[in-house]
Amino acid sequence: MPTDGKGTITIEGLKAGQYSLAFASFNITSTESQSTEYISLFPNPATNKVFLSLDKNEINDIVISDIEGRSCDFNFNSNGNLIEINTSGLNSGLYFVEIRLKDAQKSMFGKFIKY
């Protein structure tokens, strides 16, 4: 696996057509510290709330952007390793989430659909 954070996923045996691939859980491994962090983003699609469930790291910052790259205002509550994000003020659409971790120079990324 390349150390630049980029890689390839190959899925064999699919017939021609259109497919959608979505990830709700993220696994990021750091080659520097040999540690792994797990994070889940749910429910997806969302209505008024989205939850982030963390394996062990604390969040330093959360950034939500719309499909045009504009940062969105939102509120969140933290209860240990579970973060509740209030999405009721967001319009319907696709949103990108950047989760910046406290203990490292790392970010995790996800996306969700708001109904």
Side-chain angles (χ1 to χ4, degrees):
M1 166 114 356
T3 58
D4 64 358
K6 297 179 182 178
T8 302
I9 296 174
T10 302
I11 302 173
E12 297 179 9
L14 296 177
K15 296 182 180 180
Q18 292 185 335
Y19 295 92
S20 176
L21 181 62
F23 296 94
S25 294
F26 308 93
N27 175 359
I28 298 180
T29 301
S30 170
T31 56
E32 294 87 24
S33 65
Q34 297 301 314
S35 65
T36 303
E37 292 84 29
Y38 295 95
I39 188 164
S40 296
L41 176 66
F42 60 93
N44 195 2
T47 52
N48 293 320
K49 296 178 187 176
V50 171
F51 294 91
L52 292 172
S53 176
L54 299 168
D55 181 36
K56 59 184 172 184
N57 278 312
E58 295 181 16
I59 289 178
N60 185 43
D61 194 18
I62 300 171
V63 178
I64 297 180
S65 304
D66 65 13
I67 192 73
E68 295 179 3
R70 296 178 295 218
S71 292
C72 302
D73 293 327
F74 63 94
N75 295 316
F76 69 92
N77 295 313
S78 176
N79 184 7
N81 289 357
L82 185 66
I83 310 293
E84 178 184 323
I85 300 173
N86 182 343
T87 59
S88 62
L90 302 178
N91 293 326
S92 296
L94 177 64
Y95 291 89
F96 299 95
V97 181
E98 179 182 0
I99 302 110
R100 299 175 185 159
L101 303 178
K102 280 186 180 179
D103 68 346
Q105 296 282 337
K106 291 190 264 186
S107 291
M108 296 180 176
F109 299 89
K111 62 183 174 182
F112 69 92
I113 296 172
K114 165 71 177 358
Y115 277 146

